Amino acid sequence: MPKLTKTRFAPSPTGIMHIGNLRSALYEYLIARSEGGKFLLRIEDTDRERYVEGAVSAIYRTLETCGLFHDEGPDIGGPNGPYVQSERLRFYRQYAEELVRSGHAYPCFCTVERLSGLREGEEGEFSGYDRRCRGIDPAEAARRVEAGEPHVIRQKMPLDGETTFTDAVYGTITVQNKELEDQILLKTDGYPTYNFANVIDDHLMEVTHVVRGSEYLSSTPKYCILYDALGWEKPAFVHLPLIVGEDGKKLSKRHGSTSFGDLLKDGYLPEAIINMIAFLGWAPGDDTREIFSLAELEKIFSVKGINKAPAVFSYSKLDWMNEQYIRGLSHDVWREMIRKIADPLFGDRPYEADMLARVLQPRVTKLGDIGEMIRFLTERLPYDRELFSNKRAKLDASLALDILRDLQPKLESLPDWTEESLPALLERTCEETGRKKGQVMGSLRVALAAQQVTPGGATETAVILGRSESLARLEKALAFLNG
RNA sequence: GGCCCCAUGGUCAAGUGGUCAAGACGCCGCCCUCUCAAGGCGGAAUCAGGAGUUCAACUCUCCUUGGGGUCACCA
């Protein structure tokens, strides 16, 4: 009777969603889905000082954009709510009191001033709280608490022995109990610390797999002791390798440029971002493919494929992934994306969106690049004689002038301006004049674009611009070359 | 610094005692080609070092080195 797998994403609303957060959410989601289990969302808002307005809605928005739908959460409810920690204070207080009663925790009356002094005093040697209040007689402590003296509740760690737990990724880990600090469970303001709220909620919400970044690996023994003190069964621990930046340092909110929102703004598709981070620290093993939809990942994901070493986030790989997704878009969807970006740039001037989309699809890396890529279409750039020279085609400005002079009347009298008629005319011209395609097509392309490198060729450019703008540009090019 | 974790090309990685050590990104070259892409083909590039164990180590053990994480009334 294996228990139904249940994972949770438990972000704190203290800032933007960065890649590390999203990766945790993704793996938590995938572990649940791959085992037919549940995925829940819990908001950990126990830090009232770092709370950021709007952070919660950003969390919802991000999960939805990525398709990581949860089965339980503050917005949709569930059997083990509430799903916001600030609404669960009574639970934390209840269990904290129980722990004090059973001798696994104690009130501490030390001031923050004393604690910071403690930290400065014993450099390196003794780390953490010196356990001064641990020795206070319980009855005496209870009296002081009763009298309203400010205090926190601390966990009473075993002074000797060792604690061992098994992580699904990192294996068996053992630490000496004397290394463990008497950590704070309940703060002076009555709010729990993450360390405490997590254990309580994961148990109460029946979370079976605690999935989180490996930065929590070293505090996991403390949680284990807490589970034991409460007499609760421990969940499976799945610690994820960190995602680090090019500098090898943990990717954090401070890195700034690595938030999900920023990547979207740059023009990366959510699907590509998801695919990318799925492969940071995980690989399918038996499949060399790397492009997987979320639905496919749900089927093949396995904790067995999770690596231990930190993974460097590579933008060039993300670029490639994004290109793959863009190329895989249906023409209609892609054309509408292009429209949204190009319409405002072209303004009143007409353009052939269909052709523009076709030309751009194999060339765009990220949506944010498009504006610059099509600037030569949305505005007329100045000419330069050098633009017309091409060594390979044996083309130079004066030859281009001859070619364009010959082409102008032919183009003007072309009955229709299409992707069939234009190349037909140009090829005919090549045959008649004995000139190479590179010379004829190249000349026209540069005349229309006023730019040496363009996405698409002469006919594509002409079609996108339309007859009137194309002929106007040709006129300008001739005037320039003549002058 | 104490404690914990990690270590295959520049990056992501497959591998689990016997392989010519997959694949992908990036890079280089060739083909295609009106430019640039896309596409096709090919190439360079990796088991951090040292001791063991073994007939045999990328695979197991230990040490060294390197990297990371953590030591808050933050999560």
Side-chain angles (χ1 to χ4, degrees), chain A residues 311-323:
Chain A
V312 174
F313 187 84
S314 161
Y315 283 91
S316 66
K317 185 106 185 201
L318 209 216
D319 280 348
W320 174 79
M321 287 246 175
N322 208 49
E323 288 164 0

Side-chain angles (χ1 to χ4, degrees), chain A residues 346 349 374-383 447-451 465-477:
Chain A
F346 277 97
R349 305 162 74 169
I374 66 172
R375 210 161 65 86
F376 75 101
L377 295 169
T378 57
E379 57 185 89
R380 293 184 188 173
L381 271 25
Y383 289 102
L448 296 176
Q451 182 169 289
L465 290 172
R467 168 175 228 130
S468 145
E469 175 67 11
S470 295
L471 290 176
R473 288 187 177 202
L474 177 55
E475 183 65 45
K476 283 200 72 170

Side-chain angles (χ1 to χ4, degrees), chain A residues 261-333:
Chain A
D262 285 345
L263 292 179
L264 277 189
K265 249 177 257 158
D266 288 345
Y268 292 101
L269 304 178
E271 294 83 355
I273 298 171
I274 287 293
N275 197 153
M276 175 68 195
I277 63 179
F279 275 77
L280 272 183
W282 172 83
D286 58 346
D287 197 330
T288 59
R289 234 172 10 124
E290 297 199 74
I291 300 297
F292 286 91
S293 67
L294 185 60
E296 290 172 313
L297 289 171
E298 288 175 28
K299 292 199 184 76
I300 64 165
F301 192 84
S302 161
V303 298
K304 282 198 189 65
I306 299 176
N307 285 309
K308 297 175 187 172
V312 174
F313 187 84
S314 161
Y315 283 91
S316 66
K317 185 106 185 201
L318 209 216
D319 280 348
W320 174 79
M321 287 246 175
N322 208 49
E323 288 164 0
Q324 299 308 301
Y325 276 87
I326 285 176
R327 280 183 310 167
L329 255 22
S330 79
H331 177 66
D332 290 351
V333 169

Side-chain angles (χ1 to χ4, degrees), chain A residues 209-221:
Chain A
H209 292 64
V210 169
V211 184
R212 50 159 63 132
S214 64
E215 68 265 34
Y216 292 106
L217 213 43
S218 55
S219 40
T220 300

Side-chain angles (χ1 to χ4, degrees), chain A residues 153-164:
Chain A
I153 302 294
R154 283 186 185 272
Q155 186 180 359
K156 197 185 281 181
M157 293 298 175
L159 270 11
D160 49 27
E162 55 186 38
T163 298
T164 295

